[in-house]
Amino acid sequence: MLVIAMDGPSGSGKSSAAKGVARMLGLRYLDTGAMYRAMTWWMLDQGIEVEDADAVSASAGEPALRVGTDPDAPAIEVDGQDVSGPIRTREVTNAVSAVSRVPAVRERLVVLQREIIATGGIVVEGRDIGTVVAPGAPVKVFLTASEEARAQRRALETARDAETTLAEQARRDHLDSTRKTSPMTKADDAVEIDSTELGLAEVIDAVVRLVKERAAAG
Ligand code: DC
């Protein structure tokens, strides 16, 4: 079964590239970051102190999450409510690293992710897909870009100044790559693609070529 794991830091162009690859190859698409964001949105909505790992852990099993896998219409619902807009707010973005370092949160979401992955070909984007969620994936990509290029892309998306974006991004990268439970790391067998100087089409092309090479190698 074709599982393409795409990991990397924020602003590396992962989401656009992962969706593009899924469309081109007729595969489903799973945004695991959206699941961590949905859990975070729910915690904030409930008034749970996200820095309090015990409180987060105690309620991690409560929200009902549903995530879609259509690359053209990625849907995410919490307790039946569409949260695709609210999970992208700055408040959620700045709280998500605290929630996603809690082992009970990760355990629950990894189970859901593996259930979705098990039902057919899919492109999965995140931080720990090649290392923890789908270590047997036949194609693994670790997408990077310079810190400045990543902040610039994010600033364009969020209409905030580059300096604030850079600072918030650096804080999140640091938290995501130094946490104890499944930190963001490149899997040993992942192919690193640096997108600093590449356009979206070139990144998609590089991943599709890799998939074809792997398929040809059997
Ligand atoms: O990809 P994103 O920026 O939407 O992800 C939001 C946060 O979720 C990110 O800061 C870390 C966390 N995350 C994670 O811990 N593991 C994943 N597989 C995906 C995201």
Side-chain angles (χ1 to χ4, degrees):
M1 188 174 66
L2 184 50
V3 177
I4 303 176
M6 289 190 58
D7 292 300
S10 60
S12 57
K14 242 179 332 149
S15 292
S16 309
K19 279 182 220 160
V21 170
R23 273 186 209 113
M24 195 160 279
L25 299 176
L27 299 171
R28 295 177 304 151
Y29 159 74
L30 179 63
D31 177 0
T32 62
M35 299 171 79
Y36 288 95
R37 287 172 178 273
M39 186 69 105
T40 304
W41 173 84
W42 181 85
M43 298 273 168
L44 293 169
D45 190 59
Q46 297 289 307
I48 293 164
E49 175 50 65
V50 295
E51 297 294 336
D52 180 348
D54 291 335
V56 169
S57 188
S59 51
E62 287 180 36
L65 299 180
R66 203 195 69 79
V67 58
T69 55
D70 178 351
D72 290 315
I76 178 105
E77 286 176 10
V78 180
D79 295 335
Q81 182 183 342
D82 173 9
V83 293
S84 45
I87 62 166
R88 304 288 162 193
T89 59
R90 186 180 188 185
E91 192 191 8
V92 169
T93 300
N94 286 335
V96 68
S97 295
V99 172
S100 53
R101 78 191 153 109
V102 176
V105 169
R106 304 203 71 81
E107 280 158 26
R108 175 156 186 236
L109 295 187
V110 168
V111 168
L112 289 173
Q113 290 158 12
R114 287 184 178 150
E115 280 172 11
I116 295 167
I117 292 168
T119 60
I122 193 162
V123 182
V124 189
E125 69 151 289
R127 302 288 188 290
D128 61 341
I129 310 307
T131 51
V132 175
V133 177
V139 180
K140 297 182 186 177
V141 171
F142 196 78
L143 194 61
T144 59
S146 73
E147 202 173 40
E148 292 73 21
R150 294 191 291 113
Q152 232 166 37
R153 287 176 193 158
R154 267 287 140 103
L156 278 176
E157 275 170 26
T158 57
R160 266 195 297 281
D161 65 285
E163 207 176 309
T164 312
T165 309
L166 186 63
E168 290 180 357
Q169 172 185 276
R171 173 181 166 270
R172 194 148 68 96
D173 285 349
H174 175 74
L175 291 170
D176 292 343
S177 50
T178 56
R179 67 173 176 235
K180 278 208 200 93
T181 314
S182 44
M184 171 174 71
T185 36
K186 177 183 163 299
D188 290 339
D189 53 350
V191 173
E192 185 162 339
I193 298 177
D194 183 338
S195 73
T196 310
E197 306 287 338
L198 299 179
L200 175 59
E202 290 168 302
V203 175
I204 294 172
D205 197 51
V207 178
V208 170
R209 247 184 297 136
L210 185 65
V211 172
K212 291 188 175 150
E213 273 168 33
R214 291 287 153 92

